[in-house]
Amino acid sequence: MTNLTHLTALEQAKLIRDREISAAELLDATLKQVAKVDGRPGSVDGVETEQDLEKVHAFITMTEAQARAKAADVDRRIAAGEPVGPLAGVPYSAKDVFCTKGIQTTAAAKILNGWKPPYNATVIDRMDKTDAVLFGKVNLDEFTFGGSNETTAFKPTVRNPWDYTRVPGGSSGGSAAAVAADEGAISLGTDTGGSIREPAAFTGTVGLKPTYGRVSRYGVIPFASSMDTIGPLTRSVSDAALVMREIAGADPRDGVTGRVAVEDYLAELEKGVKGMRIGISPDYLKITHINDDGEYASAPIDEDVLAKMERAVAIFRALGAEIIDDVPMKNTKYSVPAYFVISRIEAYSNLQRYDGLRFGMPTKRETADMYDLYYKTRGEGFGYQTKLRLLTGLFVSQEKYYEKYYRRAEQARGLLRADFDRAFDPNGKYRLDVLLTPSTPSPAFEFGGATAKDSLLMQFADQFTSPMNFAGTPGISFPAGLSKDGLPVGLQAAGYDYSEAKILRAAYAFEQATADEDWRSVKPMALR
Amino acid sequence: MTQEYEITIGLETHIQLNTVTKAFCGCKADSWNDAPNTNICPICSGQPGSLPAVNKAMVEKGLMLCLAMNSNVNLTSYFDRKNYMYADLPSGYQVTQDNRPIGVGGYLDFTMDDGREVRVHIHNLHMEEDAGKTKNEGDIRLIDMNRCGVPLIEMVTMPDLHSADEAATYLMRLRQLLRWIGVSEANMERAHLRCDANVSIAPKGSKTLGKKCEIKNINSIEAVRTAISFEIQRQIREVEAGRKIEQWTIEWDNDAQVLRKMRSKETAADYRYFREPNLMPVVISPEFYEDVKRRMPEMPWARRARFMSDFGLPAYDASILTADRETSEFFEAACRTYAGDHKRVSNWMMNEVLRVVNEKGVPLSELAIRPEDLAEIIKLVDAKTVNTSTGKSLVDKVLETGKKPAEIVKELGLGLVSDEGAIKEVCRKIVDANPKEVASYRGGKETLIGWFVGQVMKEMRGKADPEMAKAILTELLKG
């Protein structure tokens, strides 16, 4: 018997449509897989114990009852010969920042523990129209603040299915881990500085961050509103293309969504990369940081990652793509510090609404007045990382520092954007279709690593992903092999505005060309 | 000799736009008489994940006000976040416009009762969302979020006003204008139009302004007049007692008719303004701009001037007839149908129609009389089909029944009798019945003719053509 949970969403959907299996059976198999590999769900009272260390812990909330009802409805309609959506009966999970009507939505923050939104995110409604089956909400870094999932208030935290001693990445760590561990073929994530692509790279999954405004953000708890994007994490490029086709498009509820037509990304995949101009930039092959003397300095990226890059270039060249070397993206170095400023300011402002009054948990202690209620509620309800971001956001947003920080960060943003405009200009020197970069400077790091003092690679884990959030352009992280330690390495195909079809095509071509390679059949630790 | 003072006043007004829905969501904007927290949704109640979407009607009305105030319109303006935490501000920031608002500069000219022309300059106009309402009941603080997200225009004047009377007159003119262009109900009692006043005094001739105090919460024209007067007197008392004016924020307690100090010398709050990333810039296309401009009504001051120059109306009439747009349009429509002396229409309008409006306290639009009815009544009087007093009563009858004047005249037989035979018969009867008066008349007391005419009119229940009756009586009384 086929391992149902290891199939792609497309394969699962076909089996259901062809009545080989029922949606209920597939849901059962998926829930069984969760029961087998996931362990305890995250909770605010959770304390990590020895037993928790060898489980994935991707989920916070299972929505089994609603999922069963939806699956039964799909089965009934298929039996009756009624039309169903393209993802009919396919179980999927969503990062716990997507508002789900009447279903707890926490953003992995204690202050939202138990909050049941009165409405659905647009994307949740769109997925429902495809007849996909939402079966659970997955863990993340608290309010998406992190790149390792360690900042969640819901413990035990998510562990990397490839190596339980390593982080799954973040902030969509639960999404990436769930998909990698065959707990559903699709998970919806969000990406503000790399939060889809980094965990995808760390878990050997595909993660697509679309153009800013391609997918509605309505009903998604925000981090930094000018950079938040929504996309799928999957095990195949085709699945990512299909989900993107279904969730993309203008939404009157999100004014920044563009009225650009949505292509049939799935149908576009087969067009291949022959004649495609794929650029390589030296600025994405090293880490640039500010050293103790306040000067820009360079550090090399991980050797394994560099080796995978080189191999991928050879493969793309062999497939008929034109490789454009030495594309300058010289403002990449500003990305991390400027991103820091803008994302903190927007995050601080977005956090203002959490007062524990209209939603979430107010303090149970005595309070003297309204502000005391705020202080205590927020003091108890926010985790360390959230407080850190709030305070840094408060600091850099002061009116007296407007020119020094916000204005300069906006200027840096303009410069970064100009890098992309130049590289992708169809009449310019480089005329790129795709920019190929590593997704992250290194494979997944160990727990505790993100806060370790000397780990430059970790601090700058966002350096190759945050520029796209700054520029508003799309990027897809796809698996490119395993490191010497057997950890997944991800590469990124980045594109220009609304060029999701092209970057998906590149990732798909690579996937097809390497389909039979040995590393493809290596299973993550959780599935062995 | 007593010191004279220069008074300087600037007003900050908040104007509630009369859009159907709120500024950034689909909730009903007007919650008058609605139970608390009934017109709310995930957006205006600040639920996590919700996003604002700009109501085009707010931008249109904002643009109209900019045009009416002669402001420079920013065809691209931005929304910003003003960050502060308060229980009636659900998202912890107010979406407003900071450094690139929809309108910059501008002015409003108006005439004081003594004929003085005053020009008030406008600093800027910006669009923003309202906060909710806070009500304290003992230890409990109640929040009504119905008002959250209601669209406002904040309009700030330059310090161009120099008396409480000027401030009150400016507000009256502004209220008239807002209703005239149809952007706000401008009802101060219902807080559609709110006003804070910055007041300072300085010795006459002084080159610098005194320290200003801000009076909050002044919610009627009368309150503006009283509160500002009180504050001016207070500041003069302070200065004359040798004390310095401190920068206070003062609240006007309308029930007690007193000013109360709220706080002194605020340390300026840092609102950490930055662009609201969830909203695209507000772009007014040249087509939209031209379209709104074309649809702008003639401004009240222009219409008043036209009524004087083209219609030959006295200033008094022109002012009254342009007090609101409806009245002026009623008047003009009646003039068009009447096609005669405009002053005659003006008299009828002011003496009859506006009398009823004032008596009943209802707007003109709710009365059954239409401009063509008024024109018809005046024509009936002109044609002597009815006399003036019947004409006046016709106004009331149209209001009662909603029927056309001619129809009423016909139904009730109100038309003047101009049948010479019929009138002559009555005249003879009166002459025969009053020999004493006839003798007096013939003895030289010719003013009695009026009494005779009156008797005839009485007998004929006012329907006789008085001119004709007078002629017949004169003839008969010659003897």
Side-chain angles (χ1 to χ4, degrees):
Chain A
M1 153 113 191
T2 356
N3 182 357
L4 290 181
T5 56
H6 194 61
L7 299 176
T8 66
L10 271 166
E11 290 164 341
Q12 292 174 341
K14 186 168 188 306
L15 287 179
I16 291 172
R17 245 191 339 270
D18 295 347
R19 306 193 200 187
E20 304 265 340
I21 57 166
S22 68
E25 274 172 74
L26 179 58
L27 177 61
D28 273 337
T30 306
L31 294 173
K32 212 174 272 171
Q33 177 69 2
V34 175
K36 189 174 146 196
V37 301
D38 212 59
R40 292 193 299 154
S43 75
V44 288
D45 314 311
V47 181
E48 236 154 38
T49 65
E50 209 51 34
Q51 293 98 12
D52 293 322
L53 303 182
E54 303 213 334
K55 293 286 181 188
V56 180
H57 307 292
F59 288 81
I60 290 178
T61 307
M62 300 304 291
T63 56
E64 187 177 337
Q66 294 91 337
R68 287 201 184 283
K70 178 75 185 178
D73 179 53
V74 168
D75 285 336
R76 184 193 55 74
R77 279 153 60 206
I78 288 176
E82 291 172 24
V84 289
L87 283 166
V90 175
Y92 82 99
S93 63
K95 191 175 180 177
D96 211 15
V97 285
F98 290 85
C99 285
T100 41
K101 190 174 179 177
I103 299 170
Q104 170 177 267
T105 301
T106 66
K110 189 179 169 188
I111 204 163
L112 280 178
N113 186 30
W115 180 55
K116 292 179 177 172
Y119 73 115
N120 271 343
T122 295
V123 172
I124 294 292
D125 281 340
R126 291 207 177 180
M127 285 299 279
D128 193 55
K129 267 204 194 109
T130 71
D131 288 320
V133 177
L134 176 71
F135 73 98
K137 310 275 303 278
V138 292
N139 214 330
L140 61 145
D141 282 293
E142 180 171 315
F143 283 114
T144 79
F145 300 155
S148 68
N149 224 105
E150 290 166 286
T151 73
T152 177
F154 285 67
K155 307 284 183 188
T157 190
V158 187
R159 310 190 82 80
N160 192 323
W162 287 85
D163 178 348
Y164 291 134
T165 68
R166 293 184 186 258
V167 300
S171 62
S172 307
S175 294
V179 169
D182 289 352
E183 303 171 275
I186 301 165
S187 188
L188 294 178
T190 61
D191 189 317
T192 307
S195 279
I196 286 175
R197 292 160 291 162
E198 187 234 29
F202 282 5
T203 56
T205 55
V206 175
L208 172 57
K209 172 238 179 269
T211 308
Y212 181 73
R214 176 75 293 185
V215 178
S216 169
R217 300 167 303 138
Y218 187 78
V220 182
I221 296 175
F223 164 9
S225 308
S226 71
M227 295 180 283
D228 290 344
T229 55
I230 285 139
L233 290 101
T234 58
R235 284 189 300 274
S236 78
V237 176
S238 325
D239 282 359
L242 172 58
V243 174
M244 187 48 60
R245 186 187 76 189
E246 296 304 317
I247 64 174
D251 177 10
R253 290 180 179 278
D254 181 356
V256 307
T257 51
R259 293 181 193 286
V260 180
V262 177
E263 292 166 88
D264 185 349
Y265 303 122
L266 195 55
E268 290 283 311
L269 291 181
E270 301 292 344
K271 288 187 177 170
V273 292
K274 202 166 170 38
M276 203 180 245
R277 293 172 67 86
I278 297 180
I280 312 294
S281 172
D283 299 300
Y284 280 86
L285 298 174
K286 61 174 192 262
I287 291 285
T288 310
H289 62 102
I290 299 165
N291 67 17
D292 293 343
D293 303 326
E295 303 290 329
Y296 281 108
S298 289
I301 62 169
D302 184 274
E303 274 174 31
D304 281 337
V305 174
L306 206 54
K308 300 300 170 205
M309 259 301 278
E310 282 162 12
R311 241 198 113 236
V313 168
I315 288 169
F316 279 120
R317 189 175 275 131
L319 290 170
E322 201 177 330
I323 304 298
I324 317 296
D325 284 311
D326 293 326
V327 177
M329 301 290 282
K330 59 180 170 35
N331 296 303
T332 307
K333 60 178 180 284
Y334 299 132
S335 183
V336 168
Y339 171 85
F340 181 96
V341 169
I342 290 176
S343 69
R344 267 34 169 208
I345 291 175
E346 292 184 8
Y348 133 73
S349 179
N350 285 335
L351 288 168
Q352 291 275 87
R353 71 187 64 208
Y354 301 101
D355 54 19
L357 293 176
R358 284 149 297 135
F359 38 78
M361 299 211 309
T363 183
K364 291 186 177 66
R365 286 184 286 167
E366 283 281 309
T367 54
D369 57 25
M370 183 179 74
Y371 287 106
D372 193 37
L373 172 72
Y374 291 168
Y375 298 146
K376 285 177 178 156
T377 296
R378 287 160 71 85
E380 292 167 14
F382 286 151
Y384 177 78
Q385 183 60 226
T386 301
K387 286 174 186 164
L388 202 59
R389 299 211 179 190
L390 214 146
L391 289 172
T392 47
L394 265 165
F395 181 81
V396 294
S397 64
Q398 290 174 90
E399 204 182 342
K400 61 182 172 183
Y401 293 147
Y402 187 84
E403 293 296 326
K404 186 173 176 185
Y405 294 121
Y406 187 71
R407 169 79 73 219
R408 281 173 76 203
E410 282 291 341
Q411 282 167 350
R413 186 179 201 159
L415 293 172
L416 244 141
R417 171 76 202 181
D419 278 353
F420 284 81
D421 290 341
R422 256 191 312 275
F424 290 95
D425 181 352
N427 303 310
K429 186 174 172 195
Y430 304 103
R431 305 186 301 283
L432 297 190
D433 294 301
V434 166
L435 176 73
L436 185 69
T437 81
S439 300
T440 52
S442 72
F445 39 85
E446 289 174 358
F447 281 97
T451 45
K453 216 170 142 200
D454 59 345
S455 67
L456 203 59
L457 291 186
M458 292 160 208
Q459 280 182 46
F460 284 78
D462 286 348
Q463 191 161 57
F464 304 149
T465 48
S466 63
M468 291 74 187
N469 296 83
F470 243 11
T473 52
I476 184 170
S477 177
F478 56 92
L482 300 174
S483 71
K484 285 186 286 293
D485 299 333
L487 294 169
V489 171
L491 298 181
Q492 171 176 235
Y496 200 56
D497 298 346
Y498 296 101
S499 70
E500 282 77 6
K502 277 186 189 171
I503 60 173
L504 280 160
R505 259 165 67 194
Y508 183 72
F510 182 88
E511 185 184 77
Q512 295 302 300
T514 58
D516 298 327
E517 292 188 1
D518 291 344
W519 60 272
R520 290 268 180 201
S521 56
V522 179
K523 284 187 169 178
M525 190 183 268
L527 300 181
R528 279 173 218 155
Chain B
M1 197 188 113
T2 46
Q3 172 70 51
E4 283 190 64
Y5 296 93
E6 182 86 45
I7 315 284
T8 304
I9 302 162
L11 297 183
E12 188 181 306
T13 48
H14 284 91
I15 297 150
Q16 183 177 320
L17 299 177
N18 56 358
T19 52
V20 177
T21 57
K22 293 185 180 181
F24 302 115
C25 65
C27 289
K28 188 155 78 87
D30 180 17
S31 290
W32 187 251
N33 279 342
D34 287 348
N37 299 312
T38 50
N39 294 321
I40 58 172
C41 74
I43 299 167
C44 58
S45 68
Q47 301 293 309
S50 66
L51 297 171
V54 174
N55 179 352
K56 200 177 164 189
M58 164 176 65
V59 178
E60 180 172 345
K61 285 175 191 269
L63 174 57
M64 287 171 78
L65 187 56
C66 287
L67 294 171
M69 298 300 293
N70 309 293
S71 294
N72 296 312
V73 175
N74 277 324
L75 291 179
T76 300
S77 64
Y78 294 92
F79 280 109
D80 300 279
R81 289 187 185 181
K82 178 180 179 179
N83 296 283
Y84 67 94
M85 275 188 89
Y86 201 76
D88 59 19
L89 189 71
S91 47
Y93 52 83
Q94 181 191 29
V95 177
T96 179
Q97 296 195 295
D98 179 34
N99 55 12
R100 200 172 166 85
I102 186 167
V104 178
Y107 58 88
L108 181 69
D109 290 332
F110 58 90
T111 313
M112 298 294 295
D113 284 345
D114 60 10
R116 243 172 350 105
E117 296 283 339
V118 177
R119 171 167 287 194
V120 175
H121 290 89
I122 300 302
H123 184 264
N124 73 64
L125 289 91
H126 64 256
M127 301 181 280
E128 63 184 24
E129 60 175 341
D130 209 343
K133 281 186 196 162
T134 298
K135 195 167 132 193
N136 291 308
E137 278 190 4
D139 284 351
I140 298 172
R141 189 191 300 259
L142 297 166
I143 308 292
D144 177 6
M145 293 190 287
N146 279 352
R147 207 178 62 183
C148 293
V150 168
L152 301 176
I153 296 278
E154 184 181 310
M155 190 162 79
V156 183
T157 75
M158 302 298 269
D160 288 349
L161 295 159
H162 299 291
S163 69
D165 204 25
E166 284 185 7
T169 308
Y170 166 74
L171 266 188
M172 277 194 283
R173 287 290 147 258
L174 176 62
R175 185 176 62 180
Q176 175 199 18
L177 180 66
L178 294 171
R179 290 172 177 167
W180 186 282
I181 62 174
V183 299
S184 172
E185 301 308 308
N187 184 333
M188 288 190 83
E189 284 69 29
R190 289 190 188 181
H192 298 146
L193 177 57
R194 285 165 246 165
C195 177
D196 301 334
N198 283 301
V199 179
S200 68
I201 62 166
K204 210 146 213 158
S206 159
K207 289 228 158 54
T208 51
L209 294 177
K211 265 218 176 102
K212 66 182 180 187
C213 289
E214 186 181 12
I215 318 173
K216 294 253 179 212
N217 196 25
I218 339 182
N219 290 331
S220 72
I221 306 273
E222 251 344 280
V224 166
R225 205 186 297 273
T226 320
I228 293 177
S229 300
F230 283 13
E231 175 57 13
I232 292 168
Q233 287 161 22
R234 184 190 72 83
Q235 291 191 15
I236 291 176
R237 273 200 311 276
E238 289 297 298
V239 169
E240 309 223 311
R243 289 187 288 266
K244 284 219 165 94
I245 302 293
E246 283 179 78
Q247 198 170 326
W248 284 359
T249 302
I250 297 164
E251 188 181 35
W252 171 245
D253 181 337
N254 202 49
D255 295 331
Q257 294 279 301
V258 289
L259 294 167
R260 281 187 225 285
K261 176 181 165 187
M262 287 169 80
R263 48 187 179 265
S264 62
K265 206 179 171 191
E266 289 173 87
T267 40
D270 187 346
Y271 293 118
R272 299 176 154 80
Y273 286 99
F274 69 92
R275 293 268 184 268
E276 161 57 308
N278 291 320
L279 293 170
M280 299 297 273
V282 180
V283 177
I284 296 173
S285 69
E287 296 78 32
F288 184 66
Y289 179 88
E290 287 304 326
D291 182 45
V292 171
K293 199 173 171 185
R294 198 172 46 245
R295 286 188 283 115
M296 283 294 280
E298 184 182 28
M299 289 294 116
W301 48 87
R303 188 162 291 174
R304 179 176 176 273
R306 187 164 56 80
F307 282 1
M308 290 166 71
S309 63
D310 295 9
F311 290 7
L313 296 188
Y316 176 79
D317 291 38
S319 294
I320 290 191
L321 292 174
T322 55
D324 63 83
R325 193 169 150 194
E326 219 184 339
T327 305
S328 72
E329 283 171 356
F330 190 105
F331 169 69
E332 277 210 273
C335 284
R336 266 196 303 278
T337 313
Y338 178 64
D341 179 12
H342 299 304
K343 174 62 179 152
R344 187 155 166 76
V345 181
S346 168
N347 290 345
W348 275 86
M349 186 76 196
M350 294 199 294
N351 296 333
E352 304 311 320
V353 180
L354 296 183
R355 168 179 58 84
V356 179
V357 168
N358 291 334
E359 278 167 14
K360 301 205 169 176
V362 294
L364 194 45
S365 59
E366 285 175 25
L367 297 182
I369 193 164
R370 304 312 324 136
E372 51 278 17
D373 300 332
L374 181 65
E376 194 183 336
I377 291 169
I378 307 173
K379 278 186 190 166
L380 286 169
V381 175
D382 289 352
K384 304 216 167 76
T385 309
V386 297
N387 62 22
T388 304
S389 66
T390 306
K392 289 180 177 180
S393 71
L394 269 178
V395 171
D396 294 312
K397 293 217 161 61
V398 170
L399 290 171
E400 275 163 35
T401 62
K403 290 180 179 167
K404 295 279 122 189
E407 205 179 318
I408 297 168
V409 169
K410 207 172 157 194
E411 271 178 25
L412 300 181
L414 295 176
L416 289 183
V417 176
S418 39
D419 173 347
E420 202 176 334
I423 297 175
K424 204 168 203 167
E425 201 175 303
V426 177
C427 288
R428 187 166 285 134
K429 201 172 128 194
I430 297 293
V431 169
D432 291 349
N434 298 288
K436 240 195 274 172
E437 282 75 11
V438 172
S440 296
Y441 181 85
R442 289 183 176 152
K445 203 175 174 191
E446 289 190 2
T447 50
L448 272 174
I449 189 70
W451 180 83
F452 281 105
V453 173
Q455 293 304 303
V456 172
M457 296 303 280
K458 200 171 160 192
E459 182 72 20
M460 297 186 76
R461 295 202 311 275
K463 290 192 289 177
D465 180 337
E467 300 294 323
M468 193 176 276
K470 191 179 170 190
I472 293 168
L473 281 167
T474 312
E475 191 62 34
L476 286 174
L477 289 170
K478 270 190 196 159

